[in-house]
Amino acid sequence: MKQKQNILFAFLLLASVGMFAQGKKTKYSIGQNVPELGGIVFYLDSTGKHGLVCAPEDQSTGSQWHHGAFTNTKSFDSIVGSGKANTSKIIVSQGVDPYAAQLCHDLNLNGFTDWYLPSKEELSLMFTNIGRGAKSPNKDVGNFASDFYWSSTELDLNFAWAQYFLEGNIFTDLKNHDCRVRAVRSF
């Protein structure tokens, strides 16, 4: 009888461990290309289950920030998590013709359509976590050009923030200049 109880206890214990393991979500790592998330992980929250990915390649090798009109779009937020709202503000202000924010908004990649132009700090994290500014083994896993990339953060009606991915310098540029575009999405 005692042997049957031990066998039953062992079975229940293994079944419980199996159910717990199945319910546990996958944790991701910076620099990991995860097709089921749409791209390359460049930011994770403290749980390791949520964060940001960027598209594996550029959406444009040269696009203007605006659509021909120097306006204040009120997309001033620069913190992590503000790129999506900035992108929406830019599109409301600028319309639907191709420009940096619209290219990201229209992107349908790896089954995802919720892409946006990264905020200033999100763009900076791309450089420091998976770009030339990253430490090994994540250095340059983002496949970035040694060129200028737009953020969704504007300074005023004439200038928006961009980053130089050769050295990491962050600066403002005229909205009618051409810079590269790399879309991001949250998960």
Side-chain angles (χ1 to χ4, degrees):
M1 179 73 173
K2 185 123 176 133
Q3 187 177 14
K4 285 183 181 179
Q5 285 178 332
N6 287 343
I7 291 172
L8 181 59
F9 176 75
F11 174 77
L12 291 173
L13 181 63
L14 287 173
S16 296
V17 169
M19 287 188 324
F20 175 76
Q22 288 177 348
K24 190 176 181 182
K25 289 191 175 181
T26 304
K27 288 196 176 191
Y28 303 103
S29 60
I30 301 292
Q32 185 180 11
N33 190 347
V34 185
E36 61 268 17
L37 296 178
I40 303 165
V41 177
F42 70 93
Y43 169 79
L44 290 169
D45 69 5
S46 61
T47 69
K49 298 175 187 174
H50 304 283
L52 299 170
V53 297
C54 69
E57 56 191 37
D58 295 341
Q59 280 55 69
S60 174
T61 58
S63 176
Q64 293 185 4
W65 191 90
H66 73 10
H67 169 52
F70 285 104
T71 62
N72 182 336
T73 67
K74 299 184 176 155
S75 60
F76 302 121
D77 293 326
S78 63
I79 63 171
V80 173
S82 62
K84 188 171 189 129
N86 283 349
T87 299
S88 294
K89 290 174 186 176
I90 296 165
I91 290 168
V92 166
S93 174
Q94 295 293 311
V96 295
D97 283 345
Y99 53 94
Q102 189 68 47
L103 290 171
C104 296
H105 181 265
D106 290 347
L107 184 61
N108 184 344
L109 179 66
N110 297 327
F112 295 98
T113 58
D114 58 348
W115 298 94
Y116 56 90
L117 189 62
S119 71
K120 180 180 163 187
E121 287 187 25
E122 291 166 343
L123 186 63
S124 183
L125 283 172
M126 290 164 55
F127 176 79
T128 58
N129 290 345
I130 61 169
R132 200 171 263 236
K135 294 179 181 168
S136 188
N138 293 330
K139 190 174 187 84
D140 290 329
V141 298
N143 304 313
F144 296 100
S146 297
D147 207 346
F148 304 93
Y149 284 82
W150 281 124
S151 82
S152 63
T153 307
E154 78 176 341
L155 177 67
D156 58 26
L157 74 111
N158 294 309
F159 293 91
W161 290 94
Q163 186 156 2
Y164 186 39
F165 268 65
L166 176 62
E167 298 170 348
N169 302 350
I170 300 169
F171 63 96
T172 57
D173 199 0
L174 281 168
K175 293 177 181 178
N176 65 348
H177 287 174
D178 285 344
C179 290
R180 287 180 176 265
V181 176
R182 180 70 67 99
V184 302
R185 64 177 299 277
S186 58
F187 65 92

